Amino acid sequence: MDLFQHRTSFMTAEKEQTALPTATQEDPVRILFGLLILWSLLLSAGSLLFAASVDWRKPLIVLGTMGFFLGTWWLAIQSRRRNR
């Protein structure tokens, strides 16, 4: 193996190593949105299961409020992304 073949094989291995997926700016936002959705599901389940009487409006209010909150933020992020 001559020096040229060694260098090219080393550079190829280096390129393959750097081809790993990297985190983007969207990843933390997706994680945060997912956690907020899980949190609202937990709150709505708690408001339904641990209430003195079964009232379906309480979990719907919790989920609707969180949906409105996340929907507003999603629209703001999308409009900011379009303006760039």
Side-chain angles (χ1 to χ4, degrees), residues 5-72:
Q5 287 176 341
H6 178 69
R7 280 191 170 190
T8 55
S9 66
F10 175 73
M11 290 177 4
T12 306
E14 186 177 299
K15 285 181 184 178
E16 290 174 1
Q17 223 173 19
T18 59
L20 296 174
T22 58
T24 63
Q25 287 182 340
E26 296 175 359
D27 288 343
V29 174
R30 288 180 183 167
I31 292 170
L32 183 62
F33 271 49
L35 289 175
L36 286 172
I37 290 169
L38 287 175
W39 179 250
S40 66
L41 288 172
L42 179 70
L43 287 177
S44 64
S47 69
L48 181 67
L49 297 175
F50 298 110
S53 63
V54 176
D55 187 7
W56 290 96
R57 293 176 291 179
K58 290 178 183 179
L60 291 178
I61 290 171
V62 171
L63 291 175
T65 304
M66 185 59 76
F68 179 75
F69 174 76
L70 291 177
T72 304

